[in-house]
Amino acid sequence: MTTQSRTWVFTVLMALMTGLPLSVLGAPPPVEHFTRLPNIDGVVLSPSGNRLAILSFGKEGRRRLGVVDLVPSVGQPRIVAAFSNADVTAVRWVNDKRLVFDAFVPGAEVREGDAGTSAVNHDGSEQRQLISWDLGPREFSRVTSRILPYGWHFHSTINGDGDDIHVYKGATDILGDLAEIQLGRLNTVTGEFKSLSHGLPKGTRQWLLDRKSEPRVVSAYADGRIKVYWRKLESTEWTEVANFDPLKEPGFAPVFVDREGAILVAAEMGGDTEGLYQFDPVAKRVLREPLLKVAGFDLHPEIEDDPQTGSLLGVHFVADRAMSYWFEERVEKIQRGIDAALPGRMNRLFCRRCGSTSFFVIHSSSDKHPGEYFLYDAGKATLRLLGVSRPWIDEASQGRRTFHRIAARDGLQIPVYVTHPANAAPNQALPAVVLVHGGPYARGSDLGWEAEAQFLASRGYRVLQPEFRGSTGYGYRLFRAGWKEWGRAMQNDLVDAVQWATKEGLVDPAKVCIVGASYGGYAAMMAPITHPGAFVCAASFAGVTDIDLIYSVSWSDTSAESRRYGMPVLIGDREKDAASLAAASPLKRASEIKVPVLLAHGGLDRRVPIVHASKFFDAARAGGVAIEWVDYPAEGHGFFIPANQADYYGRLERFLEKSLKAAPN
């Protein structure tokens, strides 16, 4: 694509946006560039592809919902939902006329009436609230139109031209833990509700629906085991087709039921990584040949199907970067054309009736570019810019990101992402930050643009993001190697990444700090204890400081089920492994820390309550640690308020600069 064509502006949609690009030569981008919410936060085509819904920020700073007609010609944008005190956070088309959207008052806690789901026509008429998060009890009838109360959520749209959607609600047991998830069908015009959970197996947590929008495959969880059930077409009886411990036994995750009733699942099938396979419910087995498999990565497929025919069209997934594979020849050809027009990008196609529609929305991004939206007209073969999500980000100021696999000290292959500061020489030994992801049993990163990594790189640091053992997305072997390794081999992997980067000439080993949030915050605080001398400073946001507190704090949202079945396997048994868990808790060894520490926490955090930080701060100060503590009373387990995140990033910037300047040369 030429420079001239890239500057086309789809003016009617850009009218919905505010903000202009900003480039300050000779100075790093302001902190706020990395914490500011995007101008455009979603673009969704209607089922026919003839209308476009877009989420964008208005001048008042609230995210709102707009609609544009695309045929017979592109019309003027119209705002169909906007609130003075809330953001529209998600939108889906119910049919070509009607939309359903969520609205939420930003914050760490849901207050009375602060969130909900509504429906509205494309012209702004017939707006109706469907779900209101009122905290008090509310009765409703299956016949009478009522607003559903707190706890109900949008689940999915229903294929066809009707006005119904699927909604779900979690049901809790006597301890307040999730017991099952109930599914219902809700009319967005009348508010009439019908339960779809009657007769479902006990403990159902997930459903796959057939072309009639009836549950066909369900997964239930109880006592640490997953049971999968299947229902024959036109039958009301459920047959158990699988029963396994998801941590210790071979299993699978159902992901799709096609128009013929064939079941597709994500499974390992004797290998190390998950692929997409077909499951035979009669024989109760996964077929051996994969439909799609990616070497070195778990597929975790996002299915793209044709809502009219029910056939499988493609799969979206993440390897080292976001990718798509299309089984439909027409769409695959369009994907190749878009990739040629926007080279060096990750180009995600969005469509509804992908096999026949004329219009596609393209989200195009890269390691240096946060993303922009295009509209592709297949009939005219034209590509037009809709808008840029963060137009203030100057691509030239952003660092390139690379992916590597390194050998840990025991030979295990550890994936590592590196963000290189803009204009840094490839073999220049720079001060570095090891950025540790949370979870820890989660995937940390990919090669897409990432705000925190780019913020740190813009300050001149080479940023290392190891996918240490215990991380998911790279195969069972890496995940399994992290069991009961908090404070031990999981910490070794972080140091091994630094040693690899040092040998590659990327990092000055005398000027490395470690930073993280949640588990990453735990790892940051544990690092100067387990590997004294490897890091010159450590920063934690919302970090675990004492493993025993995860088990004992009653106001945490960690479930009793997780404490009973998951944590003893993954982290350790509270009684049998008490000594090793104590040795792996920064709180109990705070006096061993000999480097400066930045400690931050949200006052409303229920995942890792702030008592973790307060106890650690007292212990560290008593032990002579140079520690700075900041708490954000209105935040939870993460930042909801951009100004608070900007404040934390600013503190982190000053902390790193001061600590690294004081480090010996």
Side-chain angles (χ1 to χ4, degrees):
M1 175 174 283
T2 66
T3 301
Q4 183 178 3
S5 63
R6 286 294 305 280
T7 59
W8 290 351
V9 178
F10 194 8
T11 55
V12 295
L13 290 180
M14 292 296 284
L16 292 170
M17 298 168 47
T18 61
L20 297 172
L22 176 65
S23 177
V24 181
L25 297 177
V31 170
E32 290 76 15
H33 279 200
F34 301 95
T35 60
R36 182 178 172 184
L37 297 173
N39 276 355
I40 295 182
D41 210 17
V43 178
V44 186
L45 282 164
S46 68
S48 69
N50 293 338
R51 293 190 177 100
L52 190 71
I54 183 169
L55 295 180
S56 64
F57 279 88
K59 293 181 180 179
E60 74 286 352
R62 292 296 183 186
R63 191 187 289 110
R64 53 193 182 170
L65 170 60
V67 174
V68 174
D69 293 324
L70 301 179
V71 294
S73 60
V74 176
Q76 293 295 319
R78 54 187 176 273
I79 301 299
V80 301
F83 304 91
S84 62
N85 66 334
D87 292 329
V88 178
T89 57
V91 60
R92 307 88 168 171
W93 288 90
V94 180
N95 50 51
D96 227 47
K97 175 184 177 182
R98 196 155 177 79
L99 306 97
V100 61
F101 62 89
D102 294 335
F104 182 72
V105 177
E109 288 188 333
V110 177
R111 297 173 295 274
E112 186 86 8
D114 274 0
T117 301
S118 300
V120 66
N121 287 343
H122 70 91
D123 59 2
S125 66
E126 295 187 41
Q127 182 167 328
R128 178 189 181 91
Q129 188 165 25
L130 305 173
I131 302 170
S132 175
W133 282 25
D134 295 329
L135 303 183
R138 181 194 297 267
E139 297 180 356
F140 64 92
S141 165
R142 292 172 56 189
V143 177
T144 306
S145 299
R146 299 287 178 86
I147 297 174
L148 298 184
Y150 175 81
W152 284 96
H153 305 264
F154 170 88
H155 178 268
S156 59
T157 56
I158 296 174
N159 299 322
D161 298 321
D163 294 315
D164 288 4
I165 60 172
H166 291 124
V167 293
Y168 74 94
K169 177 186 178 181
T172 57
D173 59 22
I174 194 172
L175 297 176
D177 289 341
L178 181 66
E180 64 181 15
I181 298 179
Q182 300 169 352
L183 182 67
R185 184 165 177 153
L186 180 66
N187 187 284
T188 63
V189 174
T190 67
E192 292 183 4
F193 173 86
K194 175 186 175 183
S195 174
L196 298 178
S197 293
H198 295 307
L200 288 185
K202 183 180 179 181
T204 293
R205 303 278 183 95
Q206 179 196 22
W207 326 266
L208 293 182
L209 307 175
D210 61 20
R211 306 322 301 170
K212 295 182 179 180
S213 294
E214 295 290 338
R216 192 71 178 279
V217 178
V218 300
S219 298
Y221 183 84
D223 300 327
R225 300 188 68 81
I226 290 178
K227 296 181 180 181
V228 180
Y229 297 87
W230 167 69
R231 180 179 61 83
K232 293 181 180 179
L233 188 64
E234 308 300 340
S235 173
T236 59
E237 298 296 323
W238 289 95
T239 301
E240 182 182 306
V241 295
N243 185 333
F244 54 89
D245 182 326
L247 292 176
K248 300 178 180 179
E249 301 171 15
F252 59 86
V255 295
F256 181 63
V257 176
D258 72 8
R259 61 182 177 181
E260 306 298 334
I263 303 169
L264 303 185
V265 301
E268 292 173 8
M269 287 307 293
D272 184 48
T273 57
E274 290 185 355
L276 183 65
Y277 295 83
Q278 187 168 337
F279 178 77
D280 183 341
V282 176
K284 301 182 181 180
R285 65 184 182 89
V286 179
L287 304 186
R288 299 293 306 180
E289 288 299 317
L291 275 71
L292 184 63
K293 194 172 177 66
V294 181
F297 299 91
D298 293 320
L299 196 61
H300 294 168
E302 180 184 345
I303 298 296
E304 194 81 60
D305 67 315
D306 189 313
Q308 292 179 305
T309 66
S311 58
L312 175 67
L313 297 181
V315 178
H316 306 290
F317 58 93
V318 179
D320 63 343
R321 67 200 72 198
M323 305 176 74
S324 299
Y325 182 89
W326 295 98
F327 298 97
E328 167 67 39
E329 184 177 355
R330 173 179 180 262
V331 187
E332 172 62 22
K333 184 178 179 180
I334 291 173
Q335 179 80 64
R336 291 198 304 268
I338 295 298
D339 290 342
L342 301 170
R345 295 287 196 94
M346 291 166 274
N347 300 308
R348 166 72 183 266
L349 273 60
F350 291 91
C351 46
R352 282 290 293 272
R353 298 168 184 169
C354 302
S356 58
T357 186
S358 292
F359 292 106
F360 293 78
V361 168
I362 315 298
H363 181 261
S364 181
S365 64
S366 72
D367 57 343
K368 297 183 179 182
H369 198 298
E372 52 193 346
Y373 292 91
F374 291 85
L375 180 69
Y376 176 68
D377 186 334
K380 298 178 181 178
T382 58
L383 187 66
R384 307 175 73 176
L385 179 66
L386 297 175
V388 184
S389 62
R390 290 176 169 88
W392 52 86
I393 292 290
D394 180 3
E395 192 170 357
S397 72
Q398 304 299 282
R400 67 185 179 92
R401 287 167 59 80
T402 55
F403 174 71
H404 312 267
R405 291 186 189 268
I406 69 169
R409 63 191 64 186
D410 62 357
L412 184 68
Q413 291 293 300
I414 304 295
V416 179
Y417 295 90
V418 181
T419 306
H420 310 266
N423 303 320
N427 59 348
Q428 183 180 2
L430 297 176
V433 172
V434 176
L435 186 58
V436 190
H437 72 72
Y441 309 107
R443 176 165 180 160
S445 192
D446 58 54
L447 287 177
W449 185 85
E450 194 169 296
E452 187 171 14
Q454 289 290 0
F455 162 69
L456 292 168
S458 74
R459 271 53 189 169
Y461 304 116
R462 209 177 296 271
V463 183
L464 310 181
Q465 293 175 274
E467 300 283 341
F468 48 86
R469 67 192 66 209
S471 300
T472 60
Y474 304 90
Y476 184 76
R477 187 177 299 112
L478 183 70
F479 169 57
R480 176 63 179 83
W483 293 10
K484 294 189 177 183
E485 291 296 339
W486 285 46
R488 286 175 280 276
M490 294 165 80
Q491 296 291 144
N492 292 343
D493 292 343
L494 307 177
V495 176
D496 291 347
V498 174
Q499 294 177 347
W500 164 81
T502 299
K503 291 178 182 178
E504 293 292 314
L506 301 175
V507 165
D508 179 350
K511 294 187 176 183
V512 182
C513 284
I514 184 165
V515 175
S518 191
Y519 171 84
Y522 160 85
M525 290 182 287
M526 200 68 197
I529 298 172
T530 59
H531 295 85
F535 302 98
V536 298
C537 66
S540 163
F541 174 76
V544 173
T545 67
D546 183 13
I547 296 175
D548 191 66
L549 284 174
I550 308 176
Y551 289 92
S552 63
V553 173
S554 60
W555 59 91
S556 166
D557 67 358
T558 302
S559 68
E561 191 173 57
S562 176
R563 292 188 181 101
R564 182 177 180 183
Y565 297 109
M567 289 168 53
V569 175
L570 298 174
I571 303 175
D573 186 280
R574 188 183 183 192
E575 296 181 359
K576 296 178 181 178
D577 301 316
S580 62
L581 294 181
S585 292
L587 175 63
K588 294 178 171 61
R589 302 177 62 182
S591 62
E592 298 178 45
I593 298 175
K594 306 302 179 185
V595 301
V597 172
L598 173 62
L599 184 69
H601 220 99
L604 300 178
D605 193 340
R606 293 190 64 239
R607 179 62 48 85
V608 181
I610 197 170
V611 65
H612 281 264
S614 61
K615 284 179 173 289
F616 180 80
F617 177 74
D618 291 341
R621 189 169 55 175
V625 179
I627 185 168
E628 175 187 348
W629 182 26
V630 56
D631 66 286
Y632 297 96
E635 299 289 6
H637 197 64
F639 286 103
F640 286 88
I641 303 171
N644 284 343
Q645 188 172 22
D647 178 80
Y648 173 67
Y649 277 13
R651 291 173 184 269
L652 179 60
E653 178 180 9
R654 295 186 293 273
F655 172 76
L656 292 172
E657 183 178 10
K658 179 181 178 181
S659 300
L660 289 167
K661 275 187 177 179
N665 292 319

